[in-house]
Amino acid sequence: MAKQKRILFLGGSKFQIPPIKYAKEQGHYVITCDYLPDNPGHQYADEYHNVSTTDKEAVLELAKRLKIDGIVAYASDPAAPTQAYVGNKLGLPSNPYESVMILARKDLFREFLDKHGFLVPKSKSFYNLEEAYEWFDTIQKPVIVKPVDSSGSKGVSKIENREELERAFNYALEFSREKKVAVEEFFVRAGYQVAGDGFIVDGKLVFRCWANEHFDKLCNPFVPIGESFPSVMTEYTLEQAQRETQRLLDLLGMKQGALNFDFHYNKDGDFSFLELGPRNGGNLIPEVIRYATGVDLIKYTVDSALGLDCSDLTMKEVEGFYSSYMLHSIEDGIVKEIWYSDEIRKNILEEHIFVRPGDEVKKFDGSHHTLGTMIMKFDSLDEMLEKMDNMEKYLKVIVH
């Protein structure tokens, strides 16, 4: 009988439960760790350890002691460098630590893209507000101000005037572990921002599934409320995105595992990276991709981390029209009810609601304010885009 594989998951949030459950179903011995013992994923594990996923030396010591066979940072930007660091040190399946750090840090990523001739907005990052003022005065307005290392679109502002910079800089600092802030020219995009996930096998981007990213115009223009599949970008942009992604992966020496995309394109259709996360996407992106293509990226993420053969993974296009949706409130208050129109009920395939009437909620200002999740299916592209862009007409959290 084959030896039971021991796999360490960095984190146990509700969004990290699917790969934990998959690993258990495969008969692996599952270990979870983070600094939040009440996270729901831990109840599915064989054992849990109270160790921060960003403390790479502590996780390394834990991994050595437990003699793990694989390590996973699922849907977690902060944990991705730790996964690579520990994997590299122990000779486990992983990507180069230095490359993962470049992808995980917005300042390092922008510098790398610029150095290698990718289309990228002018950007610099600062620990010091005074230096940021000097840079601000030299670049085109508006500008985006954001932490170099936060996830879930937290701490992001778009500003026009010098007087706004101090507030935006300090707001970004609140969400930065590095205490460093990026100030960059605003990229004027055409069409939707593009999201989605991909997967690398033996250094090649063998699968990718791209989506339209949706935002709530009544709330926060930088925090996605969902992704709809398939993407409506042109064939020209699609081919360029595939080619430029593979060029980036080659330059970084990335060999395996999941990728989470965020990119946009200009009026000429030319592609520009926002981010390329070295991990699976949040917002149920892998789950929606499974509905839309039949490809289970959750399975491949776990299998790849354990060094199992993933060579059967090939490109599959989206069939049908699917989306994820993050339930949220557009204002602070106490939940009175969640209102559904008749037109939206027929679209909902899955839903998980995290709040009840009487609960206090905050205006949606980051992924941490998500009140529930849904997966939806639509009859046409037009129906999908209209509903996702105007969801307040069909579904809303009513507060008082």
Side-chain angles (χ1 to χ4, degrees), residues 8-12 32-37 39 42 48-63 71 76 78-83 85-86 177:
L8 173 61
F9 285 90
L10 301 177
T32 57
C33 78
D34 63 21
Y35 70 99
L36 298 167
N39 258 344
H42 304 314
Y48 159 73
H49 294 267
N50 194 293
V51 176
S52 169
T53 60
T54 59
D55 187 341
K56 58 184 190 294
E57 296 298 343
V59 175
L60 176 60
E61 286 308 308
L62 179 68
I71 180 168
S76 173
T82 301
Q83 188 265 347
Y85 181 80
V86 173
R177 295 178 304 282

Side-chain angles (χ1 to χ4, degrees), residues 205-271:
L205 181 65
V206 297
F207 177 86
R208 46 69 189 156
C209 189
W210 289 321
N212 315 294
E213 196 135 54
H214 299 271
F215 302 86
D216 190 333
K217 56 188 177 293
L218 303 176
C219 196
N220 187 318
F222 304 112
V223 188
I225 57 156
E227 288 78 24
S228 65
F229 297 80
S231 166
V232 295
M233 65 178 162
T234 66
E235 197 67 31
Y236 169 80
T237 308
L238 194 148
E239 288 173 2
Q240 197 180 51
Q242 175 88 28
R243 187 173 63 250
E244 290 289 80
T245 301
Q246 188 61 59
R247 180 163 82 91
L248 179 60
L249 298 177
D250 291 344
L251 285 166
L252 290 169
M254 299 287 284
K255 296 301 180 194
Q256 64 170 75
L259 295 172
N260 175 238
F261 291 91
D262 266 306
F263 63 85
H264 41 203
Y265 48 96
N266 63 19
K267 61 180 174 27
D268 298 319
D270 288 321
F271 161 92

Side-chain angles (χ1 to χ4, degrees), residues 98-113:
E98 293 78 10
S99 298
V100 171
M101 278 301 297
I102 287 169
L103 294 175
R105 283 266 301 266
K106 295 175 179 66
D107 53 340
L108 303 178
F109 189 45
R110 286 284 183 265
E111 289 168 12
F112 189 89
L113 292 174

Side-chain angles (χ1 to χ4, degrees), residues 333-344:
I334 306 296
V335 176
K336 185 178 179 185
E337 65 170 312
I338 299 168
W339 173 80
Y340 300 77
S341 67
D342 291 340
E343 299 100 300
I344 205 68

